[in-house]
Amino acid sequence: MGWGDDSLPKELIKGYKFVFAGNKLTWEAAISVTKKAGKFYPIDGAFPCDFKIDPSKMQKEIDITMHLKQGDRTILGIYEIKGDELKVCYYANQTGRRPTEFSSEDDRRIGCITLTRAKKSDKAPPE
């Protein structure tokens, strides 16, 4: 996961969990970061979101609306699914624009993330 040429330190994203259910998305754990004085700091919590996709486009589109205390914020992105991996590139700010490729090298406002589907546990949950 990174913005422009900055990749987030792996220790900050270990706890990330993205839960998709219907058209709902929840970002859980250290789901956001802020950068101060050249260092990244996690912001813990869970953000409820809605999302919609358009797989009919040449670059499949995803719009994610985060429901924040300050109000709703919609980011526009593109996505691809290969096996158990979901790759999303998006503008981190509400620019009204959508990335055209899966790269953040030329624009520091673009974030790219690759998610891997969690494996279902064979163990029954404790009662």
Side-chain angles (χ1 to χ4, degrees):
M1 177 182 213
W3 286 271
D5 58 1
D6 294 330
S7 287
L8 296 180
K10 292 195 185 305
E11 62 272 10
L12 288 182
I13 60 174
K14 283 182 186 175
Y16 279 32
K17 184 176 180 183
F18 295 80
V19 179
F20 292 85
N23 68 339
K24 304 290 182 196
L25 164 63
T26 304
W27 290 1
E28 297 178 1
I31 45 108
S32 186
V33 295
T34 185
K35 187 175 182 182
K36 294 179 184 174
K39 292 186 177 183
F40 290 103
Y41 297 91
I43 301 171
D44 293 331
F47 290 145
C49 308
D50 293 316
F51 73 94
K52 62 181 178 179
I53 60 172
D54 186 348
S56 69
K57 304 283 180 157
M58 179 139 173
Q59 287 284 8
K60 297 175 182 169
E61 297 180 354
I62 185 167
D63 300 348
I64 300 172
T65 301
M66 297 180 289
H67 306 296
L68 307 171
K69 290 178 186 174
Q70 311 89 308
D72 289 353
R73 178 176 164 208
T74 300
I75 56 175
L76 305 178
I78 56 175
Y79 76 96
E80 69 179 8
I81 298 173
K82 290 184 180 175
D84 284 339
E85 285 192 348
L86 167 64
K87 185 174 188 176
V88 178
C89 283
Y90 57 91
Y91 272 95
N93 299 328
Q94 293 185 113
T95 62
R97 296 172 45 204
R98 187 180 309 277
T100 57
E101 61 184 349
F102 291 96
S103 173
S104 60
E105 284 183 29
D106 295 331
D107 193 334
R108 299 178 63 77
R109 296 171 296 169
I110 294 176
C112 291
I113 186 170
T114 300
L115 304 172
T116 303
R117 183 187 314 262
K119 303 292 183 208
K120 291 186 178 182
S121 174
D122 292 331
K123 297 179 185 178
E127 292 183 30

